[in-house]
Amino acid sequence: MVTLAVVGAGSRGASYARHAVETGQARVVAVADPLAARRARFPGAAQFADWRELAARPRLADAVIIATQDREHVEPAVRLAELGYDILLEKPMAVSEEDCRSIVAAAERSDAVFAVCHVLRYTPYTRALKRLLDEGRIGEIVSIQHLEPVGWWHQAHSYVRGNWRRADESTFMLLAKSCHDLDWLVYLTGRQVTRVSSFGGLKHFRPENRPEGAADRCLDCPVEAACPYSARRIYLPLAGREVWPLSVLTEDVSEAGVLEALRTGPYGRCVYACDNDVVDHQVVNMEFEGGTTASFTMTAFTPSLHRQTRVFGTRGSIDGDGERLTVHDFVTGRAETVETRPTGDSTAGGGHGGGDEGLVDAFLAAVATRDRSSILSSPRASLHSHLIAWAAERSRLNGETVTLETR
């Protein structure tokens, strides 16, 4: 059985660790988090208020899950790699190219089993799609259309009211939310990106779009009932349940606890009266080695759905909605539907369509056997996806096409 330490026992860290424990593959022997209530999620584990206290001890576990806030990844990742821990690192790796390169160097020096949480690579849906492409079912890939439907309430929760609302406190939205979409497109094509252009911005969640008469908080607002982003409507129906996203608001998930969080905490604020500055829509155009192209759209203004993708090849095309794939054969003129039956929905609460479980299972197998073949992305492959995100953000801000170095 693999022994685990958890650094950052919030929603993501606890979710990964919970799956590892519930499947009998691992046990948590140490947890580092500033909040005592989060540390208490792992009874019997050694508890530390800071990861540095863990790092000051001789190595306590085979591997560590690092799921701190984005800007707090680099120091524990580098130090714990030096101490010999295998590492499962939440995405993004870090919020600067320099820090990402430091993490890659530390992982390579230590020869650690190292995986970034690019969960999209590990879903049953992705496995089925990748198999079809590798079998040549549609010939050579010429172009791809890919949509990430963030979801109106998810945008409001995480990127307007929540931890990822400001680039200076976290990072820009494409890196925070979609570095694994960019990684996924590289994985599908098997080729690196050479050129990037991008457009987008913060269109809607701005003070000038605030409805007349709206209050600063939803619980006090006379027009809340007609607002799509009502915190009362999003969170109160979940009262009494230990589920995401409610678990992010408060440790007391009773109705009284939720109401108190909405009265006093950040998640009860009017979405037009927050201090957010990250985009709510963005498009990214990519050119790959060999001339294949892809267009990626990330937008807040959708239902919360699985990602949707169309892959166009020289002998056919594939349409996918996260649950099923429709293969169109240009030779026979026939269409075949492949059901992938993902476990859970597309959200973090739903395990990203089986991606969370698939990732954790692959990581633990690699730690237990020292066979890294189950890990589907190397540290340098993860770095490339992050470099695409930075190139896209430079393009969006400066109006330029950015060329990337490959290999």
Side-chain angles (χ1 to χ4, degrees):
M1 182 178 289
V2 172
T3 54
L4 286 175
V6 179
V7 171
S11 177
R12 302 305 294 143
S15 177
Y16 295 139
R18 189 177 300 117
H19 176 75
V21 171
E22 289 176 352
T23 56
Q25 299 175 86
R27 61 190 179 93
V28 175
V29 299
V31 57
D33 193 283
L35 298 181
R38 291 181 176 176
R39 299 195 298 271
R41 291 171 174 169
F42 303 99
Q47 296 191 11
F48 304 96
D50 189 278
W51 70 266
R52 295 171 183 82
E53 298 174 13
L54 170 66
R57 300 285 189 90
R59 184 163 64 92
L60 298 182
D62 300 315
V64 59
I65 298 170
I66 300 176
T68 52
Q69 288 298 305
D70 300 343
R71 289 182 173 270
E72 299 167 4
H73 284 181
V74 61
E75 289 188 76
V78 170
R79 182 59 184 145
L80 294 173
E82 292 172 346
L83 292 174
Y85 286 88
D86 294 327
I87 293 175
L88 182 64
L89 177 63
E90 177 63 326
K91 62 88 185 165
M93 295 172 71
V95 299
S96 75
E97 181 177 339
E98 179 183 3
D99 285 348
C100 283
R101 292 190 184 278
S102 295
I103 291 171
V104 171
E108 292 179 344
R109 283 195 306 270
S110 69
D111 196 33
V113 172
F114 179 92
V116 176
C117 296
H118 293 303
V119 294
L120 297 186
R121 290 196 182 210
Y122 295 87
T123 65
Y125 172 81
T126 298
R127 287 197 297 270
L129 175 54
K130 181 65 170 168
R131 183 176 64 252
L132 291 168
L133 295 173
D134 289 349
E135 289 172 352
R137 289 287 300 274
I138 63 168
E140 183 180 1
I141 299 172
V142 177
S143 58
I144 302 174
Q145 292 178 345
H146 181 56
L147 169 68
E148 180 174 11
V150 176
W152 85 97
W153 68 263
H154 187 186
Q155 180 81 23
H157 171 76
S158 294
Y159 305 102
V160 179
R161 295 170 169 134
N163 290 331
W164 296 273
R165 70 192 183 279
R166 290 185 61 87
D168 61 349
E169 293 184 4
S170 175
T171 187
F172 58 98
M173 186 169 172
L174 190 71
L175 186 63
K177 183 71 175 77
S178 300
C179 65
H180 57 183
D181 287 275
L182 303 175
D183 170 81
W184 189 74
L185 292 169
V186 171
Y187 180 56
L188 289 189
T189 62
R191 298 175 178 179
Q192 292 197 334
V193 170
T194 58
R195 292 198 299 168
V196 177
S197 66
S198 185
F199 307 89
L202 176 58
K203 179 174 178 59
H204 184 66
F205 299 100
R206 305 167 64 94
E208 57 265 35
N209 293 322
R210 181 171 174 162
E212 186 176 353
D216 287 344
R217 288 190 170 270
C218 291
L219 293 185
D220 305 322
C221 185
V223 299
E224 164 269 328
C227 178
Y229 309 101
S230 162
R232 180 189 294 274
R233 187 185 308 110
I234 292 171
Y235 300 114
L236 273 180
L238 301 175
R241 300 166 59 191
E242 294 278 355
V243 294
W244 181 89
L246 194 63
S247 57
V248 178
L249 274 67
T250 176
E251 298 294 333
D252 179 3
V253 297
S254 68
E255 182 172 333
V258 175
L259 285 170
E260 178 63 17
L262 296 183
R263 287 190 192 97
T264 61
Y267 294 93
R269 294 181 294 176
C270 173
V271 294
Y272 307 102
C274 293
D275 58 342
N276 57 300
D277 62 11
V278 300
V279 304
D280 55 21
H281 70 295
Q282 189 166 355
V283 296
V284 182
N285 300 311
M286 288 159 277
E287 182 179 68
F288 294 78
E289 296 168 312
T292 296
T293 58
S295 62
F296 168 56
T297 298
M298 173 186 70
T299 181
F301 306 102
T302 69
S304 289
L305 300 170
H306 289 289
R307 287 143 168 102
Q308 299 168 34
T309 309
R310 304 179 74 189
V311 186
F312 306 100
T314 55
R315 296 179 62 84
S317 64
I318 300 176
D319 294 354
D321 64 1
E323 297 185 357
R324 63 190 58 81
L325 299 158
T326 302
V327 184
H328 303 275
D329 189 310
F330 296 165
V331 176
T332 66
R334 295 173 183 164
E336 174 191 355
T337 299
V338 178
E339 298 284 347
T340 65
R341 297 179 177 84
T343 56
D345 62 30
S346 63
T347 68
H352 295 111
D356 290 3
E357 293 87 348
L359 167 72
V360 172
D361 291 345
F363 176 72
L364 294 176
V367 173
T369 66
R370 313 314 295 173
D371 178 358
R372 291 166 167 79
S373 61
S374 60
I375 303 295
L376 301 180
S377 61
S378 68
R380 290 196 176 273
S382 294
L383 174 62
H384 180 64
S385 68
H386 289 58
L387 294 176
I388 300 168
W390 280 307
E393 188 68 356
R394 286 198 299 273
S395 175
R396 184 184 75 85
L397 294 173
N398 302 329
E400 61 181 304
T401 298
V402 178
T403 299
L404 282 75
E405 293 184 7
T406 56
R407 308 302 163 189

